[in-house]
Amino acid sequence: MRKKIVAGNWKMNMDLAEGLKFAGSIEKYFKESPSEKVLVILCPPFIHLAGMADILKHGKVALGAQNCAAEASGAYTGEVSAWMIKSTGAQYVIIGHSERRSYYHEDDKLLNKKTLLAINSGLKVIFCCGEVLKEREAAQHFLIVRRQLEEGLFSLTAEQMDMIVIAYEPVWAIGTGLTASPDQAQEMHKYIRELVKEKYGNDCAKKLPILYGGSCKPSNAAEIFSKPDVDGGLIGGAALKKEDFTAIVEAI
Ligand code: 13P
């Protein structure tokens, strides 16, 4: 059985006090009604990590960052390394989010470097992929996702792939209110699993969690999560409201 995962990507929201208070309320919720079958991960901005690691120390909810530097250490003003993230107590890092790819021009080669650094620092990676609207309209979506995975991820060994969760996030569905239909999500997730199977074999493909992201909300989560190759979600806007986020976890 593959692990079911719901991860909240807070993006650039909530100041320190707000974030710690919110993390406390999520932790309390899952302490009182533990979600045995679902791994819940919160991915706040860097400044929240150390404080949240303390709040989440009971292990009901895991912790991740949203990005890491492409270098291990040194004179890189403003950057935060994978090892620093690990030292806060976080276990995960999101790499290759479409907002990083488009606003900060992060390409496949750079994302591959970040992924290797993260894994070597002991962090699990939520590796994002997905096409923009123009690419889907031109029926290029499979090609794009294939390239993102081949160049960003497939230099890893099969052993290193154990540290990977893939998130398929069609860019046209992020923050737009448009969602991929459950069938569109399933079609792409199945394709991703087949690519992983071709490269790493059936065992690796079968245990790889593949999450869907893009306007996931309580009203559509159950249907999307019911698809056989959809193992959970990477949630943006709805992760900022306790009722919505917990309802999405319950939907699994
Ligand atoms: P929304 O859920 O706000 O569409 O964002 C999805 C996302 O980008 C998660 O990483």
Side-chain angles (χ1 to χ4, degrees):
M1 264 289 272
R2 277 192 296 278
K3 206 180 277 173
K4 301 281 182 195
I5 299 175
V6 174
N9 175 8
W10 292 4
K11 308 192 179 184
M12 199 172 70
N13 291 292
M14 291 197 269
D15 68 19
L16 184 58
E18 288 165 343
L20 295 185
K21 188 168 166 224
F22 186 63
S25 74
I26 298 281
E27 156 78 10
K28 184 165 179 279
Y29 180 92
F30 288 112
K31 218 162 108 189
E32 282 162 10
S33 25
S35 57
E36 307 289 343
K37 296 193 189 109
V38 188
L39 170 65
V40 178
I41 310 172
L42 298 182
C43 301
F46 290 129
I47 62 144
H48 298 79
L49 287 173
M52 275 176 61
D54 198 40
I55 289 169
L56 306 179
K57 62 178 178 269
H58 304 294
K60 301 287 176 216
V61 177
L63 182 63
Q66 300 170 14
N67 178 34
C68 69
E71 302 294 338
S73 66
Y76 300 98
T77 303
E79 290 292 276
V80 176
S81 75
W83 180 246
M84 291 171 184
I85 293 167
K86 175 74 181 166
S87 77
T88 66
Q91 306 95 344
Y92 288 84
V93 59
I94 297 172
I95 290 182
H97 192 280
S98 67
E99 287 148 20
R100 302 291 320 169
R101 291 178 188 263
S102 76
Y103 304 148
Y104 303 98
H105 314 291
E106 297 193 355
D107 62 14
D108 296 320
K109 196 167 159 227
L110 182 94
L111 297 173
N112 179 252
K113 200 172 169 199
K114 288 189 174 192
T115 300
L116 290 168
L117 276 166
I119 290 173
N120 289 334
S121 303
L123 290 171
K124 294 188 175 159
V125 172
I126 302 173
F127 187 89
C128 301
C129 59
E131 79 287 355
V132 301
L133 186 59
K134 240 169 76 185
E135 292 160 345
R136 176 157 287 258
E137 285 172 348
Q140 299 280 298
H141 44 297
F142 291 117
L143 262 178
I144 295 295
V145 167
R146 182 186 189 120
R147 191 212 70 219
Q148 290 171 339
L149 296 180
E150 283 181 348
E151 296 186 12
L153 215 50
F154 286 1
S155 69
L156 270 60
T157 64
E159 210 172 42
Q160 288 173 321
M161 284 297 284
D162 279 347
M163 302 286 275
I164 299 292
V165 173
I166 290 180
Y168 169 57
E169 298 205 307
V171 182
W172 46 273
I174 296 178
T176 56
L178 290 174
T179 329
S181 70
D183 287 341
Q184 283 174 322
Q186 167 57 21
E187 186 186 32
M188 183 59 87
H189 284 225
K190 184 163 180 271
Y191 176 71
I192 292 171
R193 205 176 300 288
E194 271 160 17
L195 290 178
V196 173
K197 184 176 163 187
E198 270 170 38
K199 171 77 186 166
Y200 294 102
N202 201 27
D203 281 358
C204 181
K206 266 196 341 210
K207 64 185 179 199
L208 174 79
I210 307 177
L211 314 184
Y212 169 78
S215 299
C216 222
K217 40 189 183 262
S219 58
N220 59 27
E223 210 189 341
I224 297 173
F225 296 161
S226 72
K227 293 293 174 184
D229 286 293
V230 178
D231 305 310
L234 181 55
I235 318 299
L240 301 172
K241 292 186 209 111
K242 182 178 155 195
E243 294 70 30
D244 286 358
F245 187 64
T246 53
I248 289 171
V249 176
E250 304 290 341
I252 284 207

